[in-house]
Amino acid sequence: MKDIAQRAGVSESAVSFALNDRPGVSAITRDRIRRVAEQLGWRPSTAARALSGEGSATVGLVVARSAASLGVDSFFLQLISGIQEVLAERQLGLLFQVVEDVEAECAVYRRWWAEHRVDGVLVVDPRTDDPRPGLLDELGLPGVVIGALPGSDTGPHPGLSQVRADDAGAMAAIVGRLHELGHRRIVHIAGLPSLAHTDRRIRSLRIEADRRGLAEAHSVTTDYSDTEGAAVTRRVLEQSTPPTAIIYDNDVMAAAGATVVAGLGRSVPGDVSVVSWEDSALCRLTVPWLTALSRDTVAFGRIAARELTALLDGGAARTVQVPLPGLIERGSTAPAPAASEPGGRG
């Protein structure tokens, strides 16, 4: 209000009258104040309304995913459940929006900042080339990145904390176990190629494959949907040397892939072992039950929300590492077919 008053050459009380549409200033003065306010990027402040008892403080979460891929992903539902638990304790609201791409997400942040809609944000799906940390630095909007920023982003980002998951370590653990079971032809059916965690998983697979001499191990990227997961599964299994083990980046693709295996007249795990990156009830509804990485995604959300409230309380930005998920072995993994045959080379 002080900035607007100085620019418009009026008192702060006149600014208050004009912007709140109250009597006390002339129509000409009201128009001049509103033009100045627009030039300065002013929007009605929900934070101010919260202080006056007319609303509640709010944090924001934007997800840049297609509706098709988001609608079948149980990870986000569990994550938001954990976030909401902590926000409810603090009587904070969650403003949630789904957009098509990161450019649209950045536009939402700019609008929220200009309108004072949120006090801070939770940022998901870090990208390999991510404009969001720099934008949030520019806006001075506190945030927590859920998942590690790409290795090329060295920061520093004074208003951004990170809650990191060890994707490389998890992939190494999966590949190590499949190697112990005799699997040499391993395919990783990955998620969106633009995501930093997808890149880390792919690079980790390559490193482990080189270290263990798995020349045929490779990754194929998808959109996380059951449709594309099934299509890629069919394509790799129809190759002349199909994989004996497939790692899927989520439970939906893993379940769809297991169905494709059966449809091709093959068995899980007799012909193909299947591993899901995410564990869920779906993994225990598929026959056989799916081997999966198990992590507490609800707790992941709680940690992220607590880090954001700490920033809002004036704490310093920091990085928190969540525990490495454990591999729960179920009926979908077994020794590789060639390894179980006399004289087989594995």
Side-chain angles (χ1 to χ4, degrees):
M1 287 176 60
K2 182 181 293 186
D3 292 340
I4 295 171
Q6 290 176 348
R7 181 77 66 88
V10 298
S11 67
E12 290 183 38
S13 59
V15 173
S16 178
F17 292 150
L19 297 183
N20 290 289
D21 202 23
R22 292 161 52 192
V25 293
S26 67
I28 293 175
T29 300
R30 189 187 308 275
D31 288 343
R32 182 167 79 254
I33 291 172
R34 287 181 172 175
R35 284 198 302 272
V36 171
E38 185 174 351
Q39 291 168 2
L40 293 177
W42 176 88
R43 296 291 187 279
S45 174
T46 55
R49 289 199 293 270
L51 289 174
S52 66
E54 297 177 8
S56 61
T58 305
V59 301
L61 171 62
V62 184
V63 178
R65 291 273 190 102
S66 68
S69 63
L70 185 61
V72 297
D73 197 332
S74 63
F75 171 82
F76 280 106
L77 181 60
Q78 296 177 58
L79 184 75
I80 292 172
S81 295
I83 290 169
Q84 187 57 40
E85 282 186 25
V86 174
L87 297 185
E89 294 170 359
R90 293 288 298 265
Q91 296 185 332
L92 292 170
L94 178 64
L95 184 57
F96 179 69
Q97 188 162 341
V98 179
V99 296
E100 286 297 320
D101 53 37
V102 171
E103 183 178 354
E105 181 177 343
C106 289
V108 170
Y109 292 148
R110 291 189 182 95
R111 186 175 73 252
W112 283 354
W113 172 81
E115 296 175 354
H116 302 278
R117 296 288 301 279
V118 297
D119 298 324
V121 294
L122 295 154
V123 181
V124 296
D125 287 342
R127 264 54 178 188
T128 52
D129 184 15
D130 203 323
R132 296 171 297 174
L135 173 63
L136 295 175
D137 287 345
E138 176 188 330
L139 297 177
L141 192 59
V144 173
V145 178
I146 301 175
L149 291 171
S152 59
D153 190 337
T154 56
H157 302 290
L160 287 183
S161 290
Q162 295 185 58
V163 179
R164 300 174 62 100
D166 188 0
D167 294 286
M171 177 60 80
I174 295 172
V175 174
R177 179 54 182 150
L178 291 174
H179 185 266
E180 289 176 357
L181 291 172
H183 294 280
R184 302 296 179 262
R185 299 193 302 275
I186 301 171
V187 170
H188 167 217
I189 298 184
L192 297 165
S194 61
L195 301 183
H197 68 252
T198 301
D199 182 65
R200 284 192 294 271
R201 294 173 191 181
I202 290 173
R203 285 190 287 109
S204 179
L205 177 68
R206 289 173 181 162
I207 291 170
E208 291 301 309
D210 290 344
R211 189 167 72 85
R212 299 174 185 276
L214 308 178
E216 297 180 75
H218 65 281
S219 300
V220 183
T221 57
T222 69
D223 66 357
Y224 284 115
S225 71
D226 55 331
T227 302
E228 193 160 345
V232 173
T233 300
R234 181 176 296 276
R235 189 161 69 243
V236 299
L237 289 179
E238 289 178 343
Q239 295 173 347
S240 57
T241 54
T244 62
I246 304 178
I247 305 165
Y248 294 87
D249 262 5
N250 70 11
D251 53 341
V252 172
M253 292 197 298
T259 300
V260 169
V261 173
L264 292 174
R266 306 177 194 182
S267 72
V268 175
D271 298 302
V272 185
S273 285
V274 169
V275 178
S276 169
W277 195 277
E278 298 289 346
D279 193 16
S280 71
L282 182 59
C283 294
R284 299 182 296 278
L285 293 173
T286 304
V287 179
W289 287 14
L290 300 181
T291 293
L293 279 179
S294 178
R295 62 179 171 182
D296 191 340
T297 306
V298 174
F300 202 4
R302 290 192 204 104
I303 293 169
R306 289 193 182 109
E307 290 303 312
L308 183 55
T309 57
L311 286 177
L312 298 181
D313 289 340
R318 64 176 191 160
T319 297
V320 176
Q321 183 81 44
V322 299
L324 186 71
L327 186 65
I328 298 179
E329 295 192 56
R330 301 188 178 112
S332 68
T333 48
S340 63
E341 297 173 1
R345 61 182 177 84

